[in-house]
Amino acid sequence: MIDTEKARQDLLDPSLGFFVIRGLFSTKETDKYRESCERFMTDARRIRARIITNSMCDYVHPRSHDHVERTARIYQYLHNHQDDFIGGLLGRAIAIRDTIESAWLSNPIYRNEKATLHDYVIVTHYYGNRGMLSRHRDYNGPAPLPLIQFWVALSEPGKDYEGGNLVIYSKDGTRRRVEADLGLRRGDALIFDKTLLHEVELTQIPADGAARGRWTVLIGARAPRDTIFSASKKKILYGPPLYPLVAFGTTMLKRMRSNAAPS
């Protein structure tokens, strides 16, 4: 059990905004989950857009904040894992999150915002020597109290990868490297306020063929639901087999506009 009140205090503290749980997942659980994700990543459907519905199947999303493919993500949905091993792990984290947030539901703005956002899960594999994420925040909405999410390490820092720290910025500007400064290891969890700025440093993969690379999971990511029309449109435009044609056409259009621009 965690100290729920201490977690709330730390999440509200402008010099922190996060709370650490050591060993949320055991080594055996972590490895089993990651290995399942590795298998899924190999041959699952790839869609280059985020789709949030209460009936969406899990899929792989190549993802970057620029034009270099730096990561591949699995978008997992809780409704697909109600009775399996993955659902048990994810449910453990969601239950802790909901317990912490329950004390803030008396605020109507917070309660409404929480109700309108749909839960999903992001498993991320960072490619060696280019895997990173630029500084950003995951939420800019009106919630007056922290909406929180779980970041869990699924591989071992310093063994499976070098560098690649998750860097989190508290509201008072304090910068912390989660693996190097806070000492988080495989199976450890960082609960943090979604409004905090954060980034991931460049990930290096050791030459050792046994290195797993950098794998993480973000549990309790939240976003507005897509309409049926929007979800269908994204599947068509950003999934196989149409996306390669769309991407090629977009690239050619940009080149044509660039060539036509006055010098």
Side-chain angles (χ1 to χ4, degrees), residues 162-237:
E162 302 288 345
N165 285 276
L166 169 64
V167 182
I168 194 160
Y169 296 82
S170 299
K171 291 185 177 179
D172 70 351
T174 303
R175 176 183 185 271
R176 295 177 178 87
R177 298 157 71 208
V178 169
E179 294 93 329
D181 298 335
L182 301 181
L184 267 70
R185 295 293 178 262
R186 181 172 35 146
D188 292 343
L190 180 84
I191 310 174
F192 68 99
D193 179 350
K194 286 167 63 69
T195 65
L196 294 187
L197 286 167
H198 56 283
E199 61 188 328
V200 176
E201 297 174 330
L202 183 65
T203 301
Q204 306 287 337
I205 307 299
D208 181 0
R212 301 180 178 95
R214 187 181 194 276
W215 288 81
T216 66
V217 59
L218 191 68
I219 305 169
R222 289 179 271 206
R225 296 174 184 84
D226 286 291
T227 63
I228 294 175
F229 174 78
S230 174
S232 299
K233 179 180 177 182
K234 288 178 181 179
K235 289 177 188 177
I236 294 169
L237 290 179

Side-chain angles (χ1 to χ4, degrees), residues 40-87:
F40 185 86
M41 190 80 78
T42 302
D43 53 13
R45 183 183 186 188
R46 285 172 133 70
I47 302 174
R48 294 175 181 264
R50 184 182 66 190
I51 303 173
I52 305 297
T53 74
N54 58 8
S55 60
M56 186 65 189
C57 294
D58 297 353
Y59 66 95
V60 174
H61 177 26
R63 182 75 165 89
S64 174
H65 286 182
D66 57 24
H67 298 295
V68 178
E69 193 164 297
R70 300 185 182 278
T71 71
R73 297 179 168 190
I74 301 171
Y75 280 6
Q76 293 179 333
Y77 302 89
L78 300 175
H79 57 258
N80 296 324
H81 300 282
Q82 294 181 359
D83 300 308
D84 61 11
F85 166 76
I86 291 175

Side-chain angles (χ1 to χ4, degrees), residues 5-257:
E5 188 52 42
K6 177 66 163 57
R8 291 188 188 112
Q9 291 173 6
D10 286 359
L11 286 158
L12 292 169
D13 186 338
S15 68
L16 295 172
F18 62 84
F19 183 77
V20 171
I21 302 178
R22 307 285 177 182
L24 176 69
F25 300 159
S26 70
T27 298
K28 183 177 180 180
E29 289 174 329
T30 304
D31 289 350
K32 182 178 179 180
Y33 180 40
R34 188 197 63 254
E35 289 163 5
S36 171
C37 292
E38 288 175 340
R39 292 191 297 270
F40 185 86
M41 190 80 78
T42 302
D43 53 13
R45 183 183 186 188
R46 285 172 133 70
I47 302 174
R48 294 175 181 264
R50 184 182 66 190
I51 303 173
I52 305 297
T53 74
N54 58 8
S55 60
M56 186 65 189
C57 294
D58 297 353
Y59 66 95
V60 174
H61 177 26
R63 182 75 165 89
S64 174
H65 286 182
D66 57 24
H67 298 295
V68 178
E69 193 164 297
R70 300 185 182 278
T71 71
R73 297 179 168 190
I74 301 171
Y75 280 6
Q76 293 179 333
Y77 302 89
L78 300 175
H79 57 258
N80 296 324
H81 300 282
Q82 294 181 359
D83 300 308
D84 61 11
F85 166 76
I86 291 175
L89 289 184
L90 302 180
R92 188 186 308 168
I94 293 294
I96 295 171
R97 182 204 70 178
D98 287 347
T99 299
I100 294 171
E101 292 183 350
S102 64
W104 302 326
L105 292 177
S106 58
N107 183 293
I109 298 174
Y110 181 85
R111 184 173 64 250
N112 180 70
E113 192 69 358
K114 181 175 167 70
T116 57
L117 299 174
H118 190 74
D119 285 318
Y120 66 109
V121 175
I122 306 171
V123 179
T124 305
H125 176 222
Y126 291 77
Y127 296 130
N129 306 318
R130 66 182 191 274
M132 61 182 294
L133 284 177
S134 56
R135 193 183 310 187
H136 66 285
R137 57 170 50 94
D138 293 334
Y139 177 75
N140 288 296
L145 293 158
L147 290 166
I148 58 178
Q149 55 196 5
F150 276 67
W151 175 95
V152 184
L154 299 180
S155 51
E156 190 65 27
K159 179 181 178 182
D160 294 319
Y161 63 95
E162 302 288 345
N165 285 276
L166 169 64
V167 182
I168 194 160
Y169 296 82
S170 299
K171 291 185 177 179
D172 70 351
T174 303
R175 176 183 185 271
R176 295 177 178 87
R177 298 157 71 208
V178 169
E179 294 93 329
D181 298 335
L182 301 181
L184 267 70
R185 295 293 178 262
R186 181 172 35 146
D188 292 343
L190 180 84
I191 310 174
F192 68 99
D193 179 350
K194 286 167 63 69
T195 65
L196 294 187
L197 286 167
H198 56 283
E199 61 188 328
V200 176
E201 297 174 330
L202 183 65
T203 301
Q204 306 287 337
I205 307 299
D208 181 0
R212 301 180 178 95
R214 187 181 194 276
W215 288 81
T216 66
V217 59
L218 191 68
I219 305 169
R222 289 179 271 206
R225 296 174 184 84
D226 286 291
T227 63
I228 294 175
F229 174 78
S230 174
S232 299
K233 179 180 177 182
K234 288 178 181 179
K235 289 177 188 177
I236 294 169
L237 290 179
Y238 298 106
L242 191 57
Y243 177 75
L245 298 175
V246 173
F248 176 76
T250 301
T251 300
M252 294 304 296
L253 182 60
K254 287 180 179 178
R255 288 179 180 174
M256 291 171 61
R257 288 174 174 172

